Every structure is written in C-alpha cells, then in structure tokens.
Amino acid sequence: MPLNIPKEMQNTYEAISKLLTDYSAEYLNKEYEELCLHALEKLCCKRPSPLKSGTVYSWAAGIVYAVGSNNFIFDKSQPIHMTAKELAAPFGIAASTASNKAATIKKLLKIDYSKAEWCLPSRTASNPMLWTVSINGFLLDARMLPLELQKACYEKGLIPFIPADKKE
C-alpha cells in the first residue's frame, strides 16, 4: 500500500485496489492497473474523500471507466477494447452507474486527453494532444520543433519528455 494513504482510507484503498488488480489481470494489463491504482490513491487522499460513500464496486468500475475512456477503451480499433456494459458487468453494476462515477472521478482528478498523467505510457509518444504547444499564437507539434525548443517546452512542463531522448 502506498505510504501516503490516510489511515481512515486504508481499508477502502485495500478493498478497491484488490478489485482493480484482479480486474486488470483478467481484462486489462499492467499499464491500466498502474493508472487505475494511481487514480485510486489520489481519490483516497482527497479531503474529504468521495470514496467514503458508495460501494467499492461502483468506485472500482468508475475508476476503470474513467481511465479506460481516456485511453479509448470503447474504440474497437484499440488492442484492449470493450463496451461499457462489458466493463461494468464483472463489478456487478450497471454501465450507467460506472459512467456516472467516472464523470465524478474525471472532474475531481481533472482527467483528460491532454494530460500525460492519465495516458497509458505506451501511448504517450503517439498522443497528439500531449505534443501540441502554442508558440506566438500558433499551435505546433512539439515533436517537430528544433531540439532547443523541445527542451524549453519540456522544462516548462508542456510536453511529457524530449523525443530525442527516447530514440534508440
């Protein structure tokens, strides 16, 4: 268990993390599991934590739904894909319940396509939302900029990494 989980949230964290870990092992992968556990940790640390009300099953499904939808889990062209009903069924809840919890989670954690924190690491390099920067009012793909400008963008937190540093 992460060290920074408040004591009053530890049992909730353990229960939901077990659901997320088991679900990820059967239906997702390690990348999804890590993102879902990251979201859970952040939700446990919120003051007050929204996890204090509702079932652990609805929150676990909501976390998977929020993280999954941000990574196009409902798109059949993706390697890991499923319908909302398929996502929610193993948790024993309706897809609408998972969707409602996901909306709450996305709002609380500011989950969106333009934040690398919520993108599967294997997709970070190819996510155009993470690489769009504004320079003098022009929207540009930072991957196409000279190295010096890429470094400046990275130092300002505008891009997740310097592309030249990731090339083999």
Side-chain angles (χ1 to χ4, degrees), residues 17-165:
S17 67
K18 171 98 171 86
L19 291 171
L20 293 173
T21 301
D22 291 349
Y23 186 91
S24 296
E26 187 163 348
Y27 302 102
L28 303 172
N29 62 22
K30 200 69 172 162
E31 279 187 310
Y32 267 110
E33 178 185 338
E34 289 170 6
L35 274 182
C36 289
L37 292 175
H38 176 62
L40 172 60
E41 184 176 340
K42 286 185 158 267
L43 289 167
C44 284
C45 293
K46 286 273 181 202
R47 300 288 187 173
S49 175
L51 304 180
K52 288 184 177 183
S53 65
T55 70
V56 294
Y57 299 101
S58 63
W59 283 111
I63 289 169
V64 172
Y65 196 112
V67 169
S69 64
N70 200 63
N71 287 282
F72 307 100
I73 200 165
F74 303 124
D75 180 347
K76 291 181 182 180
S77 71
Q78 297 302 311
I80 296 175
H81 62 276
M82 59 186 72
T83 66
K85 188 175 179 181
E86 291 169 335
L87 184 151
F91 294 106
I93 64 164
S96 59
T97 302
S99 175
N100 289 335
K101 287 293 186 195
T104 299
I105 292 165
K106 284 180 160 189
K107 185 175 180 183
L108 286 170
L109 301 182
K110 298 176 175 66
I111 295 176
D112 72 36
Y113 303 112
S114 66
K115 295 194 172 143
E117 177 181 15
W118 302 112
C119 181
L120 293 172
S122 63
R123 296 198 183 136
T124 302
S126 62
N127 180 343
M129 294 295 292
L130 300 178
W131 299 100
T132 303
V133 295
S134 177
I135 299 179
N136 296 329
F138 291 99
L139 294 178
L140 302 169
D141 185 332
R143 296 169 290 190
M144 302 301 146
L145 297 174
L147 182 59
E148 301 78 38
L149 287 177
Q150 287 181 7
K151 287 180 181 178
C153 288
Y154 176 74
E155 288 167 6
K156 290 182 179 182
L158 300 175
I159 58 175
F161 58 84
I162 299 168
D165 291 348

